[in-house]
Amino acid sequence: MKAFWREYRENWIAVIALAVVVLVVLAALLAPWITPQDPYDLASLDLMDARKPPGFVGSNGYVHWLGTDAQGRDLLSAIIHGLRISLQMGIAAGLVAMTIGATLGILSAHAGGWVEAAIMRVVDLQLSFPAILLALVLVAVLGQGKSQLVIALVAAQYAYFARTAYGAATAERQKDYVEAAHATPLPSWRVVLRHILPNCLPPLIVVGTVQVANAIALEATLSFLGLGLPPTEPSLGMLIANGFQYMMSGRTWISVYPGIALILLIVAINIVGDQIRDQFNPRLRR
């Protein structure tokens, strides 16, 4: 870990991106305590405070530093809670998709034969479809809600992990230490879990980092289209959609500030993922 951090901090852009991710995660975890308003409590909203510019002092007595939206929500509170929802959806979908995809990819590489052909043809078929199209269909069928959204995101993303795990496990399967493990009286599942899987984790971690950012962007897209979370839960995509109709009237802050927060989070996660990928790439090691 010391060597990893020593190499990582040589890229100051990646260090800044990591600091942004850490700050966003901390803000999301502490959202109920650091935000001046609970955007989920509809009874606390006042329509007289709706669509007010940044710096406006609301009826509750505190300053709306980023203004308010069409429902009178404090936009800063809504953005922080929206980041919390985005991180929950992205991390949950990423972990479940990585578990399912890694299991299928390593199983197909280890089993070979018709099992490998069947699993990987299904994975290749799914990869031929855009993830947003598959997620749209599943959300439209399953309905709105966190569980339904996670299922749609997992179904749209597990194939990337499966293909990555399959490629890594296929390369590891040909090595001498795997042959030596098979020569001992060890069960196949132990060979897979104790020998093949640990050596497949680095590329899976890199893909997982990128796919978390993709899941956040996909969730925001679905919420922007009205197919994500219910209107009572202000995700970033829904906040952007709510302010979109007011862009021409000059009330740009309703959409712009949530959009900036979403872009900063996605870009920061992608930069961190790129740096981790470079450090796990042996060809780039000095």
Side-chain angles (χ1 to χ4, degrees):
M1 294 299 298
K2 290 182 179 179
F4 182 88
W5 173 244
R6 184 170 58 251
E7 294 181 10
Y8 186 94
R9 66 185 182 186
E10 292 178 358
N11 186 345
W12 62 271
I13 297 179
V15 173
I16 295 176
L18 181 61
V20 171
V21 173
V22 172
L23 288 176
V24 170
V25 171
L26 290 176
L29 292 175
L30 301 175
W33 296 278
I34 65 175
T35 54
Q37 184 188 70
D38 183 4
Y40 300 121
D41 186 8
L42 300 181
S44 66
L45 303 182
D46 190 349
L47 289 178
M48 298 298 295
D49 295 336
R51 299 182 293 275
K52 298 301 183 181
F56 171 78
V57 180
S59 58
N60 292 323
Y62 50 79
V63 179
H64 300 283
W65 296 106
L66 299 183
T68 60
D69 65 1
Q71 285 74 39
R73 291 190 184 100
D74 176 60
L75 206 55
L76 177 61
S77 303
I79 288 174
I80 294 177
H81 281 82
L83 289 170
R84 189 181 193 184
I85 293 176
S86 297
L87 287 172
Q88 286 177 351
M89 296 294 100
I91 294 174
L95 290 176
V96 176
M98 184 170 70
T99 302
I100 295 175
T103 301
L104 292 176
I106 295 175
L107 174 63
S108 60
H110 184 263
W114 66 269
V115 175
E116 175 184 1
I119 294 177
M120 297 317 297
R121 295 300 76 76
V122 172
V123 169
D124 292 339
L125 179 63
Q126 181 169 335
L127 288 174
S128 65
F129 292 96
I132 181 63
L133 179 61
L134 182 59
L136 279 171
V137 173
L138 290 175
V139 170
V141 173
L142 297 175
Q144 292 182 324
K146 287 186 177 181
S147 300
Q148 295 87 331
L149 188 57
V150 169
I151 292 173
L153 294 176
V154 169
Q157 291 187 310
Y158 83 92
Y160 298 97
F161 292 98
R163 172 53 68 180
T164 302
Y166 172 76
T170 301
E172 297 297 325
R173 185 181 58 183
Q174 310 297 328
K175 295 183 178 179
D176 293 338
Y177 75 91
V178 176
E179 297 293 334
H182 280 298
T184 61
L186 292 175
S188 297
W189 64 267
R190 188 175 181 86
V191 175
V192 171
L193 293 179
R194 295 294 300 272
H195 297 276
I196 297 179
L197 178 60
N199 291 283
C200 297
L201 283 179
L204 286 174
I205 292 173
V206 174
V207 174
T209 306
V210 176
Q211 289 304 314
V212 167
N214 291 339
I216 293 173
L218 193 56
E219 181 274 327
T221 303
L222 294 173
S223 297
F224 180 83
L225 298 175
L227 296 173
L229 296 175
T232 55
E233 301 183 24
S235 65
L236 292 179
M238 190 173 298
L239 291 175
I240 297 172
N242 290 340
F244 186 73
Q245 57 183 321
Y246 302 105
M247 291 292 290
M248 301 303 296
S249 65
R251 299 183 179 94
T252 57
W253 62 87
I254 303 177
S255 287
V256 169
Y257 290 137
I260 291 175
L262 180 64
I263 291 173
L264 284 177
L265 178 60
I266 293 175
V267 171
I269 294 176
N270 278 318
I271 292 175
V272 173
D274 289 342
Q275 180 64 21
I276 294 175
R277 179 199 61 195
D278 292 344
Q279 290 187 225
F280 278 142
N281 189 348
R283 296 182 180 179
L284 298 179
R285 287 188 175 274
R286 292 167 296 182

